Amino acid sequence: RISRNLTITLDLSAGKRYVYGYYSSSDNTQPNTDIYKELHLHNFLLSGDLKSVYTFGNGHLKQFVSGGFCFRTVVSDDSRIEADIFYSDIVISDTYEYNTGEKTSYGLTLGLGLSFEVSGKISLTTALDYSELFITKFPGGYRSAGLRLGMNF
């Protein structure tokens, strides 16, 4: 806590990301060839925010605005692509590893929220957060919005 209304917070979180994708294509020459691919993206992620929070208002219910830096890193990647190729009456199936090459990304985060003081040192919070990771290997970066619910003590 820097002052009564201004604090600096460090939030760390870990989670599992699972993404499923599907792709198919056809070759209309004779004999027909159909290709089906399924992406199974399995990552263990570590993310965090270092931000300043400014609280304003009187009484038990206070509003706040926050902003700062955020990061996300891929701790482990166990992803794969499953492919099935249909060629005439023959089906060829294969599974191979898929690595996104993603490691650590950096960006900015902003938030607006409410805090309800339950007692002198305990408060309940809710906030709408927006993050954009733009220092990354991939074009366009990552954008995310979320609803945060929590308790501070």
Side-chain angles (χ1 to χ4, degrees):
R1 184 173 290 260
I2 295 175
S3 69
R4 182 169 185 235
N5 294 342
L6 184 63
T7 58
I8 293 181
T9 64
L10 175 63
D11 296 328
L12 295 174
S13 59
K16 178 86 170 154
R17 173 175 64 177
Y18 177 75
V19 175
Y20 172 80
Y22 176 77
Y23 168 79
S24 69
S25 66
S26 295
D27 182 0
N28 292 329
T29 61
Q30 293 297 322
N32 286 345
T33 303
D34 295 320
I35 301 171
Y36 300 96
K37 293 183 178 181
E38 296 177 355
L39 170 65
H40 298 271
L41 192 65
H42 299 267
N43 302 125
F44 185 73
L45 303 173
L46 178 65
S47 63
D49 302 323
L50 177 62
K51 56 187 170 184
S52 58
V53 180
Y54 183 76
T55 306
F56 50 94
N58 296 319
H60 289 287
L61 187 63
K62 296 179 182 176
Q63 301 86 23
F64 65 88
V65 61
S66 65
F69 301 100
C70 60
F71 77 93
R72 181 181 72 194
T73 188
V74 177
V75 177
S76 69
D77 189 356
D78 185 27
S79 302
R80 69 184 187 281
I81 291 180
E82 295 176 355
D84 296 315
I85 300 171
F86 294 92
Y87 180 77
S88 190
D89 291 337
I90 300 170
V91 177
I92 301 170
S93 296
D94 194 11
T95 298
Y96 49 95
E97 290 183 22
Y98 177 75
N99 187 349
T100 62
E102 178 185 5
K103 209 52 187 155
T104 303
S105 302
Y106 302 94
L108 297 174
T109 184
L110 299 170
L112 296 171
L114 295 172
S115 177
F116 180 76
E117 186 177 315
V118 177
S119 68
K121 294 188 178 187
I122 298 175
S123 62
L124 303 174
T125 60
T126 184
L128 292 173
D129 290 323
Y130 175 79
S131 297
E132 183 157 351
L133 299 167
F134 51 84
I135 301 175
T136 182
K137 291 178 73 170
F138 301 102
Y142 298 98
R143 295 181 185 105
S144 64
L147 173 66
R148 182 169 33 103
L149 303 171
M151 178 185 289
N152 299 326
F153 48 93

